Amino acid sequence: MRMKPKTLLISLVAALTLYALLGFVLLPAIALHLVNKQLEQRATVPAQLDDIKFNPFTLELTLHGLHIGEPQQPEVAFSRLYANLQIDSLWTRAVHLRDLELEQASTRVHFAENGSLNLAELFILPESPEQPEDSDSGPFPLRIDRLALIDNSLQFRDLRPAEPVEFGYDAVDIELTNLSTLPEDNALMQVSASGPYGARIDWEGRLGISPLTSSGTLRISEARLATFWPYVQEQLPLTLHQGSLDLSSEYQLSLASETELLLSGVRVQLSGLDLASADNPLLRLSSLEISDTSLDLARREVHLGSIRSQGLEAWAARQADGQIDWLQLLQPGTSATEQSAESEEAPWRILLTDAQLRDYQLHLTDHQPPQPVQLDIGPLNLDLNDFDSLAETPFQLSLDTALNTDGQLNITGEVGINPISADLQVETRDIDLTLAQAYIEPLVRLELKSGLLGTRSRVQLSQLEPLQLQVTGQAGVQQLHVVDGPAKRDLLKWQSLQLDEIDYRGDSLSIGKVNLQQPYVRFIINRDMSTNFSDLVVSQPAAEASDSTDSEPMAIRIGGIDIANGSANFADFSLRPNFATGIEQLNGHIGTLDNQSPKAAAVDLSGKVDRYAPVSIKGSLTPFDPLNSLDIATRFQNVELTTLTPYSGKFAGYRIRKGRLNLDLHYQIDQGQLKADNRLLLEDLQLGERVDSPDAVDLPVRLAVALLKDTKGNIDIELPVAGDLNNPEFSVMPIVWQTLRNLVLRATQAPFKFIAGLAGAGDTDLSQLGFAAGSAELNPEARQTLGTLSTALQERPQLILEVEGISAISADGPALAAQRLEHEMRQLAASKMRRPPENPAEIELDEKDQARLVRELHEQRALPVPEQWKELSREERDLAMRQALIESWSDSPLPLRRLAQQRAATIKDWLVDEGGMEAERIHLLDASEGAADSNGLVATELQLGSR
């Protein structure tokens, strides 16, 4: 039966009406009911979908108002979800959506302390049946022409770390075009998100699902490291105070067969980094920028185009157990299995075009020595160019920095890695050697008071095993000052030591020239016959015996040594009275020293003993084997014999009152055989009082002197000596002392009143000069007396002047003791300073400082503390301790003797420098003790003699 057109039209309209009713009204209502029913049954929190709309003609589906969770704080929610299904999905075997939009979605991701995730607990899910394995199954076929996430937000909170992590991203917008799970399809993608504190993520590129591939550009801006730092802090015990990161890069990612990742145009900027450890500063970085950088994961290669960094400040320390604090903090936790796996992989190749580090500061502390050592490095500037971790070509390095403010270190040149090599120019200036004090204390009892090292050298390293290292250049040490640790006395000093044309090659050392300016050394023989050098070395535990054979000695060659204005002091405290003398103005040259050559080195030195007596040393010697070859001539002229009184008293039984010594020594050694031609000339020798000495010879010394003197009053002795130096029983010194014990002085006096009249002073007595207690300075009256005396002696050139220094224990003793107390207090104060002044006298001490130092000195000397002192006040007790110290030193003979000698030397200096007299006309007699006059002055005796 044929349907009429009208009936067909009515049926079609009815069908469309029914279809529209089902699509627009009934299906959305049923779907909304079913969804909310499922939400009610499955959700563990309040959950509701507000509305569903569907257009059956355009196949557009819109969901409105989904809320899962509490009304005011939903876990998951969105305002609108829109999808537009295309009809071609029916025959293309893939779900095709033209548009998929999600607006104002919000998600809360919350990990509890026990690790549970809030999203996993929102629904009670039925158990899923096991799915059969289908090796050929692929991703669900889906095509979305446009996917947009508009104005969404994410809130993240993690309570698992010790410090919770919490942040949020607002205004998250994502747009993908042509998203497909079908093979070879790619989607265009744009992602933008705003995070906490202005942080932002922008991601733009292509995305393929099957296989998973992606390419594009990623930018992260103003990301604060503190947001994610609790995760880092779980692995590293470091506290982050601040720090932000900017990152941008183009990338290509493919997981088709293996992970392939290419990064290009990478730019990383780290700003304001501040790290601490246990509330102690660890690292601060103003800025670090890495640009023009690329990474190839498959080739394991990183190319760093440019690194710019500014203002790093770091702190590091070596603990008392030798551990480095940074290594303890950053010690990797990689297991042995992981390390083994890593070692089998090809090494990463790192290339660096250019790096500039500026204004770095490093604070290094070493707690292993008894006294911690602090080294501040900076501002440090470092440049690296053309670095390749796998290439055989070297890279360029340039470094300059300060060391503890005043020191400077500069390094420029090339460094190679494969193999290890270097060719560097190294320059240092004003490196403070006192930094080494803490390291030498366990080895030697020395104290470095000052010393500045400077070098200019080229360092060439060609290989490590065996070591092939060459160092050439020059080095110098300025203002060296070393004191012996126990007594704090000067031991070794020089103004400058310069080493030129240095060439070190591992088994050889060559120095073209050594220049030594103003060197000084002190040598002391103690009462027990030990020396100030014998106790310097600290005994160490015996080292284990080595099975290795002794290697060949290093070849050493020194082209020459120049000495300018050197000096030395010698003292012998084993004698009574003590003996002391000094050598000054030592100048000269020592020729080539070479332990590989039998050729002797030339020696030409000259100086003065006790300022006025010339001494010269000339000849040649082989310093590395002196018993093989030596030819040295030494000459002493006009040496005051009074300085030898301690030795004449011990060996001759008499003090020396007057005399000068001229000594010519010529020593020749050939293969251990000594031949010495010596000549002694003693001028105007006079013996003093007899000295009881068990070592003195039983001979008529005075008669011997009278017999030896010629018509001019001199003793001229030729003394040849010969013998075998390899014979331990042979000794030269007994022969010398046997001669010296026969030298004596003859006493004379001169009429001072007579010569006073020559100067128009009438019968003024010029034979005495008064000195204030404890002083060797001339007062105006003494200067006037010396002026008159020098004028008179100019009229009598045949006369000589004898000066006898005198000290009085009653007047000078307390004054000297008070001076010593002041000196000891400043020395003690200086020993406690890290950088004491060169002259301890410059230290200012207030009354409290003085009282404290007096108490320490009193305790150090173990002086008795009388019972009645307990009743004194603190100030009175301090005064009593001060007086006790002064009394304990008041009768010390050595300071009294030195004072007397200084008084005599002061008179001679004035007469030579101010009075214009020849030094040869003034003799210094041995010091003696006297008494002060009624005015408290101590008189120094003057005597006259003839030449």
Side-chain angles (χ1 to χ4, degrees):
M1 175 178 169
R2 187 176 182 181
M3 185 177 291
K4 297 180 179 180
K6 183 176 180 181
T7 304
L8 179 62
L9 178 61
I10 294 173
S11 300
L12 182 60
V13 170
L16 289 176
T17 302
L18 179 61
Y19 178 74
L21 181 62
L22 290 173
F24 281 107
V25 179
L26 187 58
L27 286 178
I30 295 173
L32 180 62
H33 173 74
L34 293 176
V35 169
N36 283 325
K37 188 68 173 179
Q38 287 296 316
L39 290 176
E40 181 180 355
Q41 293 176 355
R42 298 294 183 183
T44 61
V45 294
Q48 180 180 352
L49 179 64
D50 291 343
D51 188 22
I52 296 179
K53 293 183 179 179
F54 178 68
N55 188 329
F57 299 103
T58 61
L59 301 181
E60 293 176 287
L61 175 66
T62 304
L63 281 68
H64 290 280
L66 174 67
H67 290 76
I68 302 176
E70 299 298 329
Q72 301 301 324
Q73 195 175 19
E75 306 295 325
V76 178
F78 61 76
S79 174
R80 170 179 173 269
L81 174 63
Y82 167 80
N84 187 355
L85 179 66
Q86 298 300 295
I87 192 64
D88 62 357
S89 302
L90 299 176
W91 59 80
T92 59
R93 295 184 178 182
V95 176
H96 182 193
L97 297 174
R98 188 180 70 181
D99 281 300
L100 181 62
E101 295 180 354
L102 178 64
E103 291 185 9
Q104 295 182 352
S106 63
T107 304
R108 293 179 68 249
V109 180
H110 184 182
F111 286 96
E113 293 183 2
N114 59 4
S116 61
L117 175 64
N118 64 328
L119 298 181
E121 299 174 351
L122 294 179
F123 296 95
I124 301 174
L125 301 178
E127 295 183 1
S128 300
E130 294 185 2
Q131 298 292 331
E133 293 184 2
D134 186 359
S135 58
D136 296 331
S137 64
F140 180 80
L142 175 67
R143 289 174 51 216
I144 303 176
D145 294 343
R146 174 178 172 271
L147 170 64
L149 281 72
I150 304 170
D151 198 20
N152 300 303
S153 64
L154 170 68
Q155 298 295 323
F156 181 87
R157 187 181 185 190
D158 192 348
L159 300 180
R160 291 173 298 176
E163 181 179 342
V165 177
E166 188 170 3
F167 61 87
Y169 275 90
D170 301 322
V172 178
D173 296 317
I174 301 176
E175 183 170 338
L176 287 85
T177 305
N178 297 327
L179 177 64
S180 172
T181 62
L182 301 179
E184 306 302 329
D185 279 359
N186 287 308
L188 297 177
M189 175 177 55
Q190 284 187 338
V191 177
S192 64
S194 298
Y197 310 107
R200 182 175 177 82
I201 298 176
D202 293 286
W203 189 3
E204 181 177 346
R206 292 181 175 273
L207 175 66
I209 303 299
S210 181
L212 182 59
T213 60
S214 180
S215 64
T217 301
L218 174 66
R219 296 183 182 87
I220 300 176
S221 306
E222 298 184 25
R224 292 202 175 186
L225 301 180
T227 304
F228 307 97
W229 192 256
Y231 293 123
V232 179
Q233 201 165 14
E234 290 290 302
Q235 305 298 323
L236 299 176
L238 303 178
T239 301
L240 175 71
H241 293 305
Q242 63 178 8
S244 62
L245 175 70
D246 290 341
L247 170 66
S248 64
S249 175
E250 297 179 1
Y251 72 93
Q252 293 181 2
L253 173 66
S254 175
L255 302 180
S257 57
E258 60 181 13
T259 303
E260 296 182 4
L261 175 63
L262 292 176
L263 302 181
S264 61
V266 179
R267 181 178 178 272
V268 180
Q269 186 170 7
L270 183 63
S271 304
L273 182 64
D274 189 347
L275 290 174
S277 173
D279 296 329
N280 294 320
L282 188 68
L283 184 144
R284 295 170 184 163
L285 177 63
S286 177
S287 66
L288 169 64
E289 181 176 347
I290 303 174
S291 59
D292 299 330
T293 295
S294 62
L295 179 146
D296 190 331
L297 182 63
R299 298 177 60 184
R300 300 176 69 85
E301 182 174 295
V302 177
H303 188 176
L304 302 170
S306 174
I307 297 178
R308 296 292 183 270
S309 182
Q310 185 81 21
L312 178 140
E313 188 171 14
W315 291 260
R318 181 170 71 161
Q319 307 299 340
D321 58 0
Q323 297 293 322
I324 306 300
D325 58 353
W326 273 76
L327 297 180
Q328 291 178 319
L329 293 173
L330 306 179
Q331 186 174 5
T334 307
S335 66
T337 304
E338 293 172 327
Q339 292 175 356
S340 175
E342 291 177 358
S343 64
E344 295 175 359
E345 296 181 0
W348 276 84
R349 183 178 189 180
I350 300 175
L351 300 98
L352 171 63
T353 302
D354 176 30
Q356 293 183 2
L357 312 182
R358 295 292 181 265
D359 295 329
Y360 274 33
Q361 300 278 346
L362 305 178
H363 308 287
L364 309 179
T365 306
D366 191 351
H367 295 282
Q368 197 168 49
Q371 295 294 328
V373 178
Q374 180 73 40
L375 177 62
D376 293 325
I377 301 176
L380 181 147
N381 301 310
L382 174 66
D383 290 82
L384 294 177
N385 300 94
D386 303 326
F387 173 84
D388 188 341
S389 63
L390 298 183
E392 296 181 359
T393 56
F395 64 90
Q396 303 295 316
L397 177 146
S398 176
L399 180 147
D400 68 87
T401 184
L403 301 176
N404 280 4
T405 305
D406 296 327
Q408 293 291 325
L409 170 64
N410 299 90
I411 302 176
T412 58
E414 297 180 343
V415 177
I417 296 181
N418 300 308
I420 297 294
S421 63
D423 188 353
L424 302 172
Q425 299 291 334
V426 181
E427 182 177 355
T428 62
R429 298 188 302 275
D430 297 333
I431 304 299
D432 189 358
L433 295 180
T434 59
L435 287 173
Q437 177 63 41
Y439 300 101
I440 67 174
E441 275 186 0
L443 304 176
V444 291
R445 298 180 179 92
L446 293 178
E447 182 179 351
L448 275 170
K449 304 292 287 186
S450 66
L452 299 174
L453 171 66
T455 63
R456 182 175 297 172
S457 61
R458 181 182 182 185
V459 179
Q460 295 172 286
L461 173 66
S462 55
Q463 68 180 42
L464 289 178
E465 293 185 1
L467 180 64
Q468 292 188 7
L469 174 68
Q470 181 180 6
V471 181
T472 58
Q474 60 186 27
V477 176
Q478 312 295 321
Q479 305 298 331
L480 182 73
H481 185 189
V482 180
V483 300
D484 53 355
K488 306 295 183 184
R489 295 172 299 196
D490 289 345
L491 185 70
L492 179 67
K493 294 193 296 185
W494 62 63
Q495 185 184 68
S496 69
L497 170 66
Q498 184 67 30
L499 309 179
D500 294 326
E501 301 175 24
I502 299 174
D503 189 347
Y504 169 76
R505 301 186 181 224
D507 58 351
S508 66
L509 173 63
S510 175
I511 301 175
K513 187 177 181 180
V514 177
N515 192 302
L516 196 54
Q517 295 283 336
Q518 296 185 15
Y520 168 84
V521 65
R522 179 191 295 271
F523 186 83
I524 298 175
I525 300 176
N526 300 313
R527 293 183 180 181
D528 59 359
M529 299 303 294
S530 65
T531 70
N532 58 331
F533 284 87
S534 60
D535 295 331
L536 294 181
V537 178
V538 179
S539 59
Q540 302 294 325
E544 295 183 2
S546 175
D547 296 334
S548 61
T549 58
D550 294 337
S551 59
E552 291 294 326
M554 177 183 292
I556 299 176
R557 184 183 186 277
I558 301 175
I561 302 175
D562 287 335
I563 300 175
N565 200 21
S567 60
N569 275 345
F570 173 78
D572 190 344
F573 295 142
S574 68
L575 303 174
R576 290 293 179 270
N578 302 140
F579 169 75
T581 189
I583 298 178
E584 303 175 8
Q585 303 175 40
L586 183 64
N587 297 275
H589 176 78
I590 300 176
T592 301
L593 311 178
D594 191 343
N595 67 350
Q596 303 297 305
S597 172
K599 186 178 180 180
V603 179
D604 188 354
L605 301 173
S606 62
K608 291 186 177 181
V609 177
D610 288 338
R611 183 178 179 184
Y612 300 110
V615 58
S616 63
I617 304 173
K618 295 184 179 181
S620 62
L621 79 162
T622 52
F624 298 100
D625 189 9
L627 294 183
N628 179 56
S629 176
L630 180 142
D631 189 348
I632 293 292
T634 304
R635 167 171 286 190
F636 293 86
Q637 294 177 287
N638 298 321
V639 178
E640 294 286 352
L641 286 174
T642 54
T643 60
L644 301 176
T645 285
Y647 293 100
S648 68
K650 180 175 182 179
F651 297 106
Y654 286 90
R655 299 172 68 92
I656 298 177
R657 182 171 180 80
K658 173 185 173 183
R660 288 200 175 113
L661 167 68
N662 294 279
L663 181 62
D664 291 311
L665 307 175
H666 187 192
Y667 283 79
Q668 293 176 298
I669 299 177
D670 184 12
Q671 301 298 321
Q673 299 301 313
L674 171 66
K675 179 183 178 182
D677 296 321
N678 303 320
R679 179 173 178 266
L680 291 82
L681 176 62
L682 304 177
E683 298 177 343
D684 293 335
L685 175 63
Q686 294 185 9
L687 294 180
E689 67 273 15
R690 187 173 182 84
V691 176
D692 292 331
S693 172
D695 298 321
V697 296
D698 186 14
L699 292 175
V701 177
R702 292 188 180 275
L703 178 59
V705 171
L707 293 174
L708 290 173
K709 281 189 176 182
D710 58 20
T711 56
K712 296 180 180 180
N714 299 330
I715 298 177
D716 195 346
I717 300 176
E718 296 288 343
L719 183 60
V721 179
D724 185 0
L725 293 177
N726 295 315
N727 185 353
E729 296 181 358
F730 176 78
S731 179
V732 177
M733 289 308 297
I735 300 176
V736 176
W737 288 120
Q738 186 175 2
T739 302
L740 292 178
R741 67 185 178 179
N742 295 319
L743 302 179
V744 293
L745 297 172
R746 183 178 56 191
T748 60
Q749 292 182 347
F752 276 92
K753 292 183 180 181
F754 174 77
I755 64 170
L758 298 176
D763 59 353
T764 303
D765 187 1
L766 305 178
S767 63
Q768 291 186 349
L769 293 176
F771 286 87
S775 173
E777 294 184 1
L778 297 170
N779 56 34
E781 182 179 353
R783 294 176 184 271
Q784 181 179 359
T785 300
L786 289 177
T788 302
L789 178 60
S790 62
T791 302
L793 291 177
Q794 297 296 339
E795 299 293 327
R796 290 292 185 269
Q798 75 281 5
L799 295 177
I800 61 174
L801 179 67
E802 300 173 350
V803 183
E804 180 182 12
I806 295 178
S807 60
I809 188 172
S810 60
D812 292 326
L816 290 175
Q819 296 173 13
R820 178 174 177 179
L821 177 59
E822 292 295 321
H823 175 75
E824 294 285 344
M825 286 194 295
R826 283 169 170 78
Q827 287 286 353
L828 182 57
S831 67
K832 298 182 178 182
M833 295 182 178
R834 183 179 179 184
R835 292 179 177 268
E838 183 71 18
N839 184 7
E842 298 175 1
I843 299 175
E844 295 184 2
L845 301 175
D846 56 24
E847 292 183 0
K848 290 180 62 178
D849 292 335
Q850 293 187 29
R852 174 177 52 80
L853 293 170
V854 164
R855 291 193 293 269
E856 290 187 27
L857 289 172
H858 191 276
E859 182 178 355
Q860 289 179 5
R861 290 185 56 81
L863 296 179
V865 179
E867 189 69 20
Q868 58 269 28
W869 283 13
K870 296 181 179 179
E871 300 178 2
L872 301 177
S873 65
R874 186 180 186 88
E875 291 77 11
E876 292 174 337
R877 190 163 55 252
D878 289 341
L879 290 175
M881 288 185 179
R882 176 186 289 268
Q883 186 59 35
L885 285 169
I886 291 175
E887 290 176 359
S888 69
W889 286 324
S890 294
D891 58 352
S892 180
L894 181 58
L896 291 169
R897 177 177 174 79
R898 286 178 178 171
L899 176 62
Q901 291 175 334
Q902 290 172 4
R903 286 169 173 170
T906 299
I907 294 172
K908 181 172 183 176
D909 292 346
W910 193 97
L911 290 172
V912 172
D913 299 334
E914 303 292 334
M917 290 186 62
E918 302 89 341
E920 293 78 9
R921 297 185 60 192
I922 306 173
H923 294 262
L924 301 182
L925 303 181
D926 190 23
S928 63
E929 296 182 3
D933 60 18
S934 59
N935 295 323
L937 299 179
V938 180
T940 295
E941 299 289 340
L942 305 179
Q943 301 179 26
L944 290 176
S946 61
R947 295 193 178 188

